[in-house]
Amino acid sequence: MIKNLNLSVKLTPIHKLSLKMKLTFILVFLSLLNIEAESIYSQNTKFTLDLKNVTVEEVFNQIKNNSEFKILHATDEIDLQRLVTISVKRQRVEMILKQLFSATPIIYKIVDKQIVLSLQKESSIPTVSKKVETVDHVIAVQNTVTGTVSDANGPLPGVNVVIQGTTTGTTTDFDGNYSIAADKGNVLVFSFIGMATKSVTVGDSNTVNVVLAENADSLDEVVVIGYGKSVKKSDLTGAVSMVGAKDIEKTPLINVDQALQGRASGVSLTQASGAPGAGYKIRVRGANSITGNNDPLVVVDGLIDVGMNSVNPSDIQSISVLKDASSTAIYGNRGANGVIIITTKKGSEGKSTLEFGSYLSFSSPTNKMDLLSPAEFIEFANTKNVGAGEGLIGAFDTQEKIDNLIANSVDYQDALYRDGAVAQNYQLSFRGGSEKISYFVSGNYLDQEGLAINTDFKRYAMRANINADISDKLSIVSSVNLQRTKGLNNHARFGERLGIGGVGFYNVVPMLDANGNYNTSTQFLGDDVASVLVNPVFLAKESKLESIGDRVQTNLSLNYKLTEKFTVNVNGGINNAKFLGVDYNPAGSGIKSPARARHGSVNRTRWQYALKLAYDNTFNEKHNLSLTAIAENRGEQQREFNATGVGFFTNLEAYNLGTADTQTIGSSFSTRQLRSVIGRAIYNYDSKYLVTASVRHDQTSVFPKNQRAVFSAFALGWNINNEAFFNSETISLLRLRAGWGQTGNEKVASDAAIDLLRNNPWIPNGGDVGIPTVLPGRRLANPDLKWETTVQTNIGFDLGIINNKFNLSFEYYIKSTEDLLLDRILPRFTGKERQMTNVGTVENKGFDISFSGTPIRTDDFSWDFNVNFSKNKNEITQLFGGQDIIFPGIRFGGSNELAPSVIKVGESIGAFYGLVYEGVDAATGNAIYADERQIIGNPNPDFTYGINNTVTYKGVDLNFFIQGVQGNDIFNATRSQLMGRAGGIPSGTSAELRNTWTATNTSASLPSLNATNTKLLTSEFVEDGSFLRLKNISLGYTLKDSNALKSIGGESLRFYISGQNLITLTDYSGIDPEISTGKGFDGTFNDAAAGVDVGAYPISKTFTLGLNFKF
Amino acid sequence: MKTKKTIVNVVSKMIFLSFLTLFFVKCDDFTADTEGELLPGNIFNSKTAVERAVLGVYSPLADKLFSNSEAYTHLWAADDRTAVTGANKAEFLEYDQLIPTDINTKMERTWALLWEMVGAANTVIDATEEIKEVFKKEGDEAGSARSLGEVHYLRAMAYYELVRTWGEIPLLSSQKEVTGLEPLASFQDIYNLIIADLIFAKEGLGNNSIKGVYRANKWMAQSLLANVYLTTAGFPLKNTANYALAAAEAKEVIDVGVYNLEAEFSGIMGDPENNLGKSGNTEAIIAFPANKIIDGWDAGNYQAEAIAFGDKTVEFGFFDNFPAGVRKDFTFNGGADGARPKYSKFGPAWAGGPAFDDDILYMRYAELLLIYAEAQIQATGDNTDAAALAALNKVKVRAGLPEVASATATDVVWEKAWETAGEFSRWYDIVRTETLDEVNALRDTRDNDLTPLGSKLTEANPWALIPANDVADNPNLKK
């Protein structure tokens, strides 16, 4: 039942509450609401069995294989080999269990989708009395403690209750009740398989009720491996990282990708921009492709290739990251970059739950750059101009002018950034269900102000996941996700311009001119010092770059049980995204530029349908086999239209392009298709020997001739701990895994193989309107283009210590990408620019370690941790025709500077290449460089790590999460610009200039302002980008079973305060080390341009107040 | 119950049908994604289509190819240009100081754009027979000669720029069998193609540009040919017989009388009113319209010195030797107080607006007069050749200088340095006359202190470096 959310009901108890509680409620009503919940699995599966003289174990296997039920034994005393005869027709599992155990001392309980069996030790009370008499004869029995043990779903039977330090014990009965003779001061230990053990000291009361929590490290955790399949963690052969809702809930998230940062080994996430709503760069085990797309494939509830951030983070049940080829191969296309499988929450039969949550956060920049004061700036600018033989700068040639400028100077960093940008998030969800239908419906509203003024991101989302059993054989799973995102001035590149403007726009330029208009540029100071930068405050306030994205993602899946062993599934999905960009750049938003407006729309539809046949069976009790065959078709169509107007006689912004002086229009269409046939087999023998194999045949429309390819993969696992010979007290789990597989990639532009002509306007008459002309295309055709193949070998082991209190996973991999889809730069004398080719090889090698544990778990206090460590080495091992080096000529930023990034054999993608800077010639002030250019840096880290800790004490929980990156280099192009070295900013603003060589300071570390030989692409600007960051710290308090809560129908209430990015330890001198660039408006990252700082939108330091309320 | 059975039945059938559809029907190849794309193949199927392709060859010219500060940094090696100090002018300074690199991005861009013109021209020339057919069918046989003439003229211009700048380069005369591994061609072969193209062009082109004053006509081809002959008579080919050919070509253009010196310098450039397309500037022979939609910074880069922080200023020595008079006053601003003078001839600062609207003058009548004067003196060996002196004196008189009764070829080259200061000819004149050392000797100490000269570029090897990527791709380009 959904509780009535009546305001008066909720407000009543406020007076009775503590200050904390009052604050919480104030928060509720101030900020309104948002929500979440846990999953309850359907227990409605019905069985038809007709078995004669089979073992109990065989019956269990039938149950397991035909449902999601798992059977847990709380005791070894259950005789699994007992022969039984059983006949049921379309009955629930209870009926089977009843038949099996009615005449035995075995009791059963269905908890979620676990069937728990335990031995009823005669009738409870007499047993205890007897034991007390026999064992505890020294201590007189004074007390009988009784109580109920339950878990989140109700009473728990079969729980062992023991007095600590003795052998005295009992188990709970079917209703979870127990009774034990114990004294005040005795410690009762409650233990149950799959649950965290809990200790309670007996106090004055004779009633001790206990709630056990599920053990997070349980090996029976299910891992989603794709195409509708989950396996027990203990039967997993591949390399898969899991992040569950529990991990996600501790941090207030703007976007889904944040949830993965530092939490999954082998997965690297980089926040490229602090712009509101900006996504992260995600790489799974390094980048494979030099010029291609290296983003992992994202699958949401079976819908393939979905934008990661089109999912509302609060809707997520779990995220699986498939890392090795044996896991990803089944996804073929782009699986080589890793596959991220997101499962959203579902409803379940039983109690309906209403949940809302909300948070309110306040952000400020993590860092502020140290710049020259206005007086210093003037002094340095004058010094440079005089040194160049041009005398004092006109604007700075009298003290009066200087004083006046200083008086009107502006701290543009302060003026540009908000101190306390507000983000608010509200989430509301309902879930529940009847016997036949279950539902999960949620709504979300997020409004995130950017750090820079007049930048903003909003999201409105709604999801409905509805599952229904139409008959015993037919069921339907459906989901609809609707989302609108609205961004204002939040393009990454616009953010870069603001970022560099904040620190590079001269502080001596007054905000406004004499007429009260903005000083849009530094031209105010005259030609000698004027820079290319535009007043960032003007830019932020007067630009209006709106982007509106509407997404509709729907998925429908029909499951039909042909027989008990065969299931047929038909599913189809449509993912439509419409992006509308309406930009208005006022006159002066470029140097001397007129107003410019653009209206652009993209309408992209991806569709997919598939037919799946699944077979699951167990032979001779020990051979567990699962076969899947899939035929799948996927396609995409994209239509674009854009119109641009330049020069407006009146300020009509972007909604009247027809008034522009010059108007240009464009449109395009593209389409692609992928057709696949896939087979997968998963086999295990008695959970000891595990085998997974898959094969996939793909056909793509992208390649003219070589459309088809076959990719295969297999993996083996050995659960040594399940062997009879293995007998260890300490080691509870030991598994070896090895896998090998191929994955294909065809992710190039749909017309990449074809030679196309292009049009280019030419204005031979001197008129205003260009005549479209025809030119040969820039791209050389390559009809032989074919699939890129990544071959990956993965070996690993999993180790569990002391009942899996500690778990260690280690994986080593070698990934080699061959027939690389390389957008080769042609020698330009051919008249062509590029050709898409299959040349070159890139290798990624490394290891992932994940270590987790629960060092302390007592009744009131627990501590969980998870540490992960990833190391990857990326190396280009071969290029086109023995070529050694490619200069991709990547340019950045407002002043269009060149990046030092190159593609060189033996180096990582995007290594920095340039001259080694050897310091300053003390005699002349010139810079000294080594003669030859060489590799001067590598943007890829040596290793990355994450440390996540959760400590709970009673209702209080504390989570802190540290993330680190070690050994990466950053080319700090911003630094060279701020020192006045790079194009377009002739006078430096950086405080570093104080350390410049002058005739009187010949030991300074920076060359003279008038040095004639300084170069930009040198090691002088290469810095260590390592950092350690306190990514998140949060303190929460959960209130349960409170009368106040109950009086308003609440079940639990958690409120929390958290901080993100509070502490960063780094030697990097720029605004933030977590920097990466090369992200275009198309949203893809260029790995050949990683680690170049060109003036990023800063990352924020955030404080958040939030609450989650469950009814 | 009945409904349920029906549903189950229907769904079972759907599943069965899906199987059939997926596995048995759809096994053909996918077709390529070409909707809305311009496909090669027989595109020369109408006069209009040919016209579009011909204009396509022009179109790289609108892409800042001849802009003064975004493209040609090698021109900074000459004495009429220098860059102010600081690494923000690094790409200019490396030529200014004669120590170029092979990753100069401005030069890479220019290299690519020129070859784009060659590629586009070759594509049209490869279809010569088809084009003739099309025009024949439409009864306009002169039209095909004119269209092909324009294309040959443009290819010659691109190659002329390439060979004067980078020296020996590959020579592609067709786009059909391009491998990317072509060897370097000899100067002789390259110039042979240029000269053949220009002869073809001047014969096919009419006296007037068709549909637009910026398009090729006979006189443009001939003026360019005169300059080509003059160049081939000097370093490195030294075909001195070509001086006479240069003089003859120039003379023909002079004599036809369609071009004249503007009476005032202000009539030449720097004012949109004097654009070729507007008032018919009588001095512009070859000009490119810079009115592509470029704004702000880009617009300024077309004629950088015309706006703030020009990348082009002048060396002190050159300025000091520059004869005083109206021409000097027109050409420069300042310089009187010892501060570095700046170019003013290209017009006032660009005030901003939707499109930069100015001409880039590639060859002016004044330059043609001086080409003639120099070629004639060299060809005749007569420093008092009347026709040559008449041409020279026309230029001098407008500059406010006295007429001369005798002049050496060197005198004419200096006159050209001053007349076309900051334009496109000075560096090439220094190269072909092998006078780099002499010119450098005239450098002022103030320039030597600020931008000391290196020695990567020399009189014997004055060529810009072929971009590193091209050499990496094609080791045959290593020099």
Side-chain angles (χ1 to χ4, degrees), chain A residues 303-316:
Chain A
L303 205 56
I304 300 170
D305 205 0
V306 173
M308 179 125 179
N309 290 331
S310 62
V311 183
N312 167 12
S314 304
D315 289 347
I316 292 176

PDB file of all heavy atoms in Angstrom, chain A residues 303-316:
ATOM      1  N   LEU A 303      18.900  -2.878 -23.626  1.00  0.00           N
ATOM      2  CA  LEU A 303      18.964  -1.921 -24.726  1.00  0.00           C
ATOM      3  C   LEU A 303      20.437  -1.592 -24.960  1.00  0.00           C
ATOM      4  O   LEU A 303      21.126  -1.104 -24.059  1.00  0.00           O
ATOM      5  CB  LEU A 303      18.178  -0.671 -24.347  1.00  0.00           C
ATOM      6  CG  LEU A 303      17.607   0.196 -25.466  1.00  0.00           C
ATOM      7  CD1 LEU A 303      16.723  -0.607 -26.400  1.00  0.00           C
ATOM      8  CD2 LEU A 303      16.812   1.342 -24.864  1.00  0.00           C
ATOM      9  N   ILE A 304      20.917  -1.881 -26.168  1.00  0.00           N
ATOM     10  CA  ILE A 304      22.350  -1.823 -26.444  1.00  0.00           C
ATOM     11  C   ILE A 304      22.757  -0.464 -26.995  1.00  0.00           C
ATOM     12  O   ILE A 304      22.048   0.117 -27.821  1.00  0.00           O
ATOM     13  CB  ILE A 304      22.734  -2.951 -27.436  1.00  0.00           C
ATOM     14  CG1 ILE A 304      22.396  -4.303 -26.816  1.00  0.00           C
ATOM     15  CG2 ILE A 304      24.209  -2.885 -27.808  1.00  0.00           C
ATOM     16  CD1 ILE A 304      22.507  -5.461 -27.770  1.00  0.00           C
ATOM     17  N   ASP A 305      23.909  -0.003 -26.558  1.00  0.00           N
ATOM     18  CA  ASP A 305      24.498   1.252 -27.031  1.00  0.00           C
ATOM     19  C   ASP A 305      23.636   2.460 -26.644  1.00  0.00           C
ATOM     20  O   ASP A 305      23.129   3.187 -27.480  1.00  0.00           O
ATOM     21  CB  ASP A 305      24.730   1.202 -28.543  1.00  0.00           C
ATOM     22  CG  ASP A 305      25.848   2.146 -28.970  1.00  0.00           C
ATOM     23  OD1 ASP A 305      26.404   2.816 -28.084  1.00  0.00           O
ATOM     24  OD2 ASP A 305      26.138   2.212 -30.173  1.00  0.00           O
ATOM     25  N   VAL A 306      23.521   2.610 -25.360  1.00  0.00           N
ATOM     26  CA  VAL A 306      22.716   3.689 -24.810  1.00  0.00           C
ATOM     27  C   VAL A 306      23.684   4.695 -24.187  1.00  0.00           C
ATOM     28  O   VAL A 306      24.742   4.316 -23.692  1.00  0.00           O
ATOM     29  CB  VAL A 306      21.772   3.124 -23.722  1.00  0.00           C
ATOM     30  CG1 VAL A 306      21.024   4.227 -23.003  1.00  0.00           C
ATOM     31  CG2 VAL A 306      20.797   2.144 -24.343  1.00  0.00           C
ATOM     32  N   GLY A 307      23.341   5.947 -24.228  1.00  0.00           N
ATOM     33  CA  GLY A 307      24.176   6.943 -23.562  1.00  0.00           C
ATOM     34  C   GLY A 307      24.141   6.683 -22.060  1.00  0.00           C
ATOM     35  O   GLY A 307      23.076   6.573 -21.473  1.00  0.00           O
ATOM     36  N   MET A 308      25.334   6.553 -21.493  1.00  0.00           N
ATOM     37  CA  MET A 308      25.421   6.191 -20.079  1.00  0.00           C
ATOM     38  C   MET A 308      24.609   7.141 -19.209  1.00  0.00           C
ATOM     39  O   MET A 308      23.913   6.730 -18.291  1.00  0.00           O
ATOM     40  CB  MET A 308      26.887   6.266 -19.678  1.00  0.00           C
ATOM     41  CG  MET A 308      27.110   5.941 -18.248  1.00  0.00           C
ATOM     42  SD  MET A 308      28.304   4.629 -18.129  1.00  0.00           S
ATOM     43  CE  MET A 308      28.430   4.444 -16.378  1.00  0.00           C
ATOM     44  N   ASN A 309      24.717   8.418 -19.505  1.00  0.00           N
ATOM     45  CA  ASN A 309      24.075   9.380 -18.625  1.00  0.00           C
ATOM     46  C   ASN A 309      22.632   9.666 -18.996  1.00  0.00           C
ATOM     47  O   ASN A 309      22.040  10.624 -18.535  1.00  0.00           O
ATOM     48  CB  ASN A 309      24.902  10.655 -18.547  1.00  0.00           C
ATOM     49  CG  ASN A 309      26.182  10.388 -17.779  1.00  0.00           C
ATOM     50  OD1 ASN A 309      26.220   9.528 -16.909  1.00  0.00           O
ATOM     51  ND2 ASN A 309      27.231  11.100 -18.118  1.00  0.00           N
ATOM     52  N   SER A 310      22.077   8.802 -19.827  1.00  0.00           N
ATOM     53  CA  SER A 310      20.647   8.940 -20.073  1.00  0.00           C
ATOM     54  C   SER A 310      19.856   8.143 -19.042  1.00  0.00           C
ATOM     55  O   SER A 310      18.642   8.029 -19.127  1.00  0.00           O
ATOM     56  CB  SER A 310      20.300   8.501 -21.501  1.00  0.00           C
ATOM     57  OG  SER A 310      20.624   7.144 -21.690  1.00  0.00           O
ATOM     58  N   VAL A 311      20.566   7.575 -18.078  1.00  0.00           N
ATOM     59  CA  VAL A 311      19.880   6.853 -17.009  1.00  0.00           C
ATOM     60  C   VAL A 311      19.940   7.709 -15.739  1.00  0.00           C
ATOM     61  O   VAL A 311      20.981   8.261 -15.409  1.00  0.00           O
ATOM     62  CB  VAL A 311      20.573   5.496 -16.739  1.00  0.00           C
ATOM     63  CG1 VAL A 311      19.822   4.719 -15.673  1.00  0.00           C
ATOM     64  CG2 VAL A 311      20.674   4.694 -18.011  1.00  0.00           C
ATOM     65  N   ASN A 312      18.845   7.794 -15.068  1.00  0.00           N
ATOM     66  CA  ASN A 312      18.800   8.493 -13.789  1.00  0.00           C
ATOM     67  C   ASN A 312      19.537   7.628 -12.760  1.00  0.00           C
ATOM     68  O   ASN A 312      19.183   6.476 -12.548  1.00  0.00           O
ATOM     69  CB  ASN A 312      17.321   8.679 -13.440  1.00  0.00           C
ATOM     70  CG  ASN A 312      17.099   9.098 -12.018  1.00  0.00           C
ATOM     71  OD1 ASN A 312      18.046   9.479 -11.326  1.00  0.00           O
ATOM     72  ND2 ASN A 312      15.852   9.023 -11.591  1.00  0.00           N
ATOM     73  N   PRO A 313      20.586   8.166 -12.115  1.00  0.00           N
ATOM     74  CA  PRO A 313      21.393   7.332 -11.219  1.00  0.00           C
ATOM     75  C   PRO A 313      20.571   6.634 -10.136  1.00  0.00           C
ATOM     76  O   PRO A 313      20.896   5.524  -9.717  1.00  0.00           O
ATOM     77  CB  PRO A 313      22.376   8.310 -10.579  1.00  0.00           C
ATOM     78  CG  PRO A 313      22.330   9.552 -11.377  1.00  0.00           C
ATOM     79  CD  PRO A 313      21.063   9.554 -12.175  1.00  0.00           C
ATOM     80  N   SER A 314      19.511   7.245  -9.700  1.00  0.00           N
ATOM     81  CA  SER A 314      18.730   6.657  -8.612  1.00  0.00           C
ATOM     82  C   SER A 314      17.947   5.431  -9.046  1.00  0.00           C
ATOM     83  O   SER A 314      17.444   4.684  -8.223  1.00  0.00           O
ATOM     84  CB  SER A 314      17.742   7.685  -8.060  1.00  0.00           C
ATOM     85  OG  SER A 314      18.433   8.824  -7.663  1.00  0.00           O
ATOM     86  N   ASP A 315      17.812   5.229 -10.353  1.00  0.00           N
ATOM     87  CA  ASP A 315      17.049   4.073 -10.836  1.00  0.00           C
ATOM     88  C   ASP A 315      17.902   2.813 -10.896  1.00  0.00           C
ATOM     89  O   ASP A 315      17.395   1.741 -11.217  1.00  0.00           O
ATOM     90  CB  ASP A 315      16.526   4.338 -12.264  1.00  0.00           C
ATOM     91  CG  ASP A 315      15.414   5.375 -12.285  1.00  0.00           C
ATOM     92  OD1 ASP A 315      14.902   5.695 -11.200  1.00  0.00           O
ATOM     93  OD2 ASP A 315      15.079   5.863 -13.369  1.00  0.00           O
ATOM     94  N   ILE A 316      19.179   2.951 -10.607  1.00  0.00           N
ATOM     95  CA  ILE A 316      20.081   1.832 -10.871  1.00  0.00           C
ATOM     96  C   ILE A 316      20.089   0.811  -9.750  1.00  0.00           C
ATOM     97  O   ILE A 316      20.229   1.150  -8.576  1.00  0.00           O
ATOM     98  CB  ILE A 316      21.496   2.364 -11.139  1.00  0.00           C
ATOM     99  CG1 ILE A 316      21.466   3.113 -12.461  1.00  0.00           C
ATOM    100  CG2 ILE A 316      22.514   1.232 -11.190  1.00  0.00           C
ATOM    101  CD1 ILE A 316      22.748   3.755 -12.812  1.00  0.00           C
TER     102      ILE A 316
END
